[in-house]
Amino acid sequence: MNLMDQAKADLEKVFFNIREFGIAAVIGGSEVKGIFSNAYAEELEIAGSKPIFIVGADDAAAIDEGDTAVIGGKTYHVDGIEPDKSGLTNILMLKET
């Protein structure tokens, strides 16, 4: 097993494990495991939050901008998809109002 394969295995076993750091979400009708962050953000002097769902690159391939996502009982829309070239992808979210 090479280093990249080991890293992918660790993501599934630990970081995306719903008993550890992970959370299950439904995005575009499919269940995806990842890490959800809804941290404080400030743009143009307007404070708010910046919801991001971090998934493996393989799972991200099935996600499209505009998809509906349900995370923790709240509905979001996929606003952007940002691969980070390490095997992870940030899925930028907008909360449905």
Side-chain angles (χ1 to χ4, degrees), residues 4 25 31 34 47-48 57-58 61 76-81 89-90:
M4 186 58 98
E31 184 174 291
D58 293 342
Y76 299 85
H77 296 284
V78 175
D79 188 45
I81 300 170
T89 300
N90 294 326

Side-chain angles (χ1 to χ4, degrees), residues 11-12 15-19 22-27 30-36 53-56 59-60 63:
L11 286 172
E12 289 299 319
F15 293 103
F16 296 157
N17 183 332
I18 59 173
R19 289 186 218 125
I23 186 169
V26 176
I27 303 176
S30 298
E31 184 174 291
V32 181
K33 293 178 187 170
I35 300 170
F36 183 67
F53 194 63
I54 303 166
V55 300
D59 289 329
I63 299 172

